[in-house]
Amino acid sequence: MNILKKLMSVFHSKKNTSMEKEIYEQADVVFEIIKKYINSDYSINIELPDEIECIALIASGSSYHSATIAANFFREKMHISAQSYYASEISLMDRIDVNKNTLYIFISQSGETTDTNKALELISDKTDKTLALTNTKNSTLYKSAKYKLLTYAGAEKAIASTKAMTAQTYCIFLIAAKLMQLKFMPARDFIDELLNVPEYINTAFTKRSEISKYANTLVEYDNAAILASGMFYPLAKEAALKIKETSYINVTAYPTGEFLHGHIAILNKRCAVIAFVNNINSKYINKVFANVNNNYKTDSLIIASKPDILVEEKNIISIFTSSDIEFLFTTLILMQFLALDSAKILSKNVDKPQGLSKIVK
Ligand code: AGP
């Protein structure tokens, strides 16, 4: 990197951007949500319709990633049939089959995304089991859905969504907790876990220097692949989106095992690999990294839930997490820092990335 670029990056790193401020607001945002929705007797202060057998989650961009994390959670941990949909794809459909026992959850920070509102309009014609999960009271989405849930993240100025995405992901877990209670499933331990999230976020903040060090490496690459599995795969997609939006590095997320089925051909000396490694996908990681380390020697990054994974990689951040919820929120914050710090090093305007707008009409 040339000297001018380095000087520019020092200059930018001193400035406090909205994105940076919003990242650091996240523990407080979750505290606020806890106050609004979790009562001292562990009841959840959310109104849901009766007889929910299935869940459909519809959204765009980062909100879609929250939706997909949630869909995985509903299926894997609660055995409820759940699916996420891109709002833009729903809005193009001529015919939509609506199931009367499905809860349709529409997620949007702004509540004014045209595709999401159009999808709500189409589905509202056929069912009133619609719920708007939004950060914006009195937005079109909020007013149009039968059930409403505010995320209380406060105004989000940066185009890259950080605190709003965290807030909506947290709120969907509260919907999950409420459903556990309605279905007489044990919910107390899960709610205790959710109450720990502000602490997980504060701990993640202390790891910024480790991730910033890797940002200096990532910016030297043209491309990156992010690998993860299960409900962490949509998290990898969120990380890829955040890095693309702020740093314009070409980052693509892949499910870890699927990467070995041909996609691995994209590896070369100009492609870094970032992997989220937890118990479920460690068996694939060794194969991928054997290939990376033997053939390309790129400076890749592993974020691991435990320190004892078998891969030899110089950039490993072990976060010793005790639960999937902890791994999820910690990794989400670390990836936000990676996006922010990479963009700063590259002297990009993180609050107003080129060609993007906060609300896609
Ligand atoms: C996120 O960083 C993006 N700016 C973008 O993908 C955004 O999440 C998407 O356009 C949806 O916006 P919404 O949540 O306001 O509907």
Side-chain angles (χ1 to χ4, degrees):
M1 196 185 299
N2 65 34
I3 293 185
L4 183 66
K5 256 189 167 177
K6 276 212 166 123
L7 281 174
M8 284 295 284
S9 82
V10 172
F11 172 72
H12 275 275
S13 68
K14 292 201 184 323
K15 282 175 119 182
N16 237 353
T17 60
S18 291
M19 183 180 173
E20 186 161 5
K21 284 189 205 130
E22 287 162 4
I23 289 174
Y24 280 109
E25 281 168 27
Q26 291 178 101
D28 291 342
V29 164
V30 175
F31 261 129
E32 192 59 26
I33 298 171
I34 289 171
K35 276 199 276 169
K36 298 278 181 201
Y37 294 118
I38 307 183
N39 301 322
S40 54
D41 63 356
Y42 281 53
S43 58
I44 305 288
N45 191 17
I46 292 176
E47 193 196 352
L48 293 179
D50 295 333
E51 293 173 14
I52 301 169
E53 304 297 337
C54 306
I55 297 174
L57 302 113
I58 298 122
S60 310
S62 291
S63 300
Y64 171 79
H65 298 144
S66 289
T68 313
I69 290 167
N72 274 277
F73 183 86
F74 285 125
R75 285 194 307 266
E76 286 172 24
K77 309 283 184 203
M78 294 177 67
H79 308 290
I80 293 179
S81 165
Q83 186 65 47
S84 58
Y85 298 91
Y86 286 113
S88 55
E89 294 296 306
I90 297 272
S91 70
L92 294 175
M93 286 181 182
D94 291 336
R95 199 191 111 125
I96 298 170
D97 292 325
V98 165
N99 179 321
K100 69 178 174 46
N101 289 332
T102 298
L103 172 64
Y104 293 86
I105 301 177
F106 298 82
I107 308 169
S108 173
Q109 188 286 128
S110 61
E112 298 299 349
T113 295
T114 300
D115 288 327
T116 313
N117 288 337
K118 177 73 188 164
L120 171 58
E121 192 187 311
L122 291 172
I123 288 171
S124 293
D125 279 348
K126 301 188 172 182
T127 178
D128 61 3
K129 283 191 177 152
T130 57
L131 186 149
L133 176 55
T134 178
N135 197 29
T136 317
K137 195 169 186 179
N138 293 329
S139 59
T140 307
L141 194 85
Y142 182 88
K143 285 191 270 190
S144 311
K146 171 93 191 279
Y147 297 86
K148 302 153 201 300
L149 198 63
L150 279 175
T151 53
Y152 294 104
E156 189 178 64
K157 287 194 193 144
I159 285 180
S161 181
T162 54
K163 62 175 181 170
M165 198 278 179
T166 296
Q168 60 206 19
T169 306
Y170 192 85
C171 284
I172 308 178
F173 285 132
L174 290 180
I175 294 175
K178 177 78 185 185
L179 273 176
M180 288 174 188
Q181 291 172 341
L182 290 174
K183 290 181 179 297
F184 304 105
M185 295 162 78
R188 218 179 160 86
D189 286 354
F190 179 57
I191 296 170
D192 272 333
E193 188 55 19
L194 291 180
L195 291 169
N196 287 334
V197 170
E199 189 190 318
Y200 298 154
I201 293 175
N202 280 324
T203 307
F205 291 158
T206 66
K207 296 192 173 288
R208 181 171 181 181
S209 58
E210 288 178 63
I211 203 82
S212 301
K213 215 167 89 200
Y214 185 70
N216 281 293
T217 304
L218 180 66
V219 296
E220 301 293 340
Y221 286 86
D222 303 326
N223 301 290
I226 307 193
L227 311 179
S229 295
M231 77 171 174
F232 307 110
Y233 169 57
L235 179 68
K237 290 182 70 166
E238 170 62 9
L241 172 61
K242 215 96 300 176
I243 298 167
K244 278 187 281 202
E245 271 187 309
T246 55
S247 306
Y248 321 129
I249 300 170
N250 184 18
V251 189
T252 309
Y254 301 89
T256 322
E258 171 60 21
F259 189 60
L260 296 161
H261 294 271
H263 312 275
I264 195 166
I266 60 131
L267 288 181
N268 57 46
K269 289 190 165 52
R270 307 290 318 135
C271 182
V273 177
I274 298 170
F276 305 160
V277 186
N278 57 332
N279 297 338
I280 56 169
N281 67 347
S282 49
K283 70 173 180 176
Y284 297 124
I285 290 295
N286 295 330
K287 287 188 189 167
V288 174
F289 276 83
N291 191 324
V292 172
N293 293 337
N294 293 338
N295 299 324
Y296 307 113
K297 303 192 171 27
T298 55
D299 287 309
S300 293
L301 170 70
I302 287 178
I303 299 197
S305 61
K306 287 195 293 184
D308 57 347
I309 53 162
L310 301 171
V311 182
E312 274 196 30
E313 180 59 45
K314 69 175 179 209
N315 304 300
I316 295 187
I317 302 181
S318 299
I319 48 182
F320 303 95
T321 49
S322 58
S323 70
D324 284 352
I325 295 290
E326 184 177 4
F327 191 63
L328 182 87
F329 284 99
T330 307
T331 307
L332 178 61
I333 305 294
L334 294 184
M335 289 296 107
Q336 293 170 352
F337 280 136
L338 184 59
L340 171 71
D341 290 334
S342 304
K344 279 182 152 188
I345 295 162
L346 294 168
S347 304
K348 307 293 184 199
N349 181 343
V350 288
D351 290 339
K352 288 194 175 49
Q354 73 194 22
L356 302 184
S357 51
K358 185 74 181 157
I359 301 174
V360 179
K361 289 278 185 189

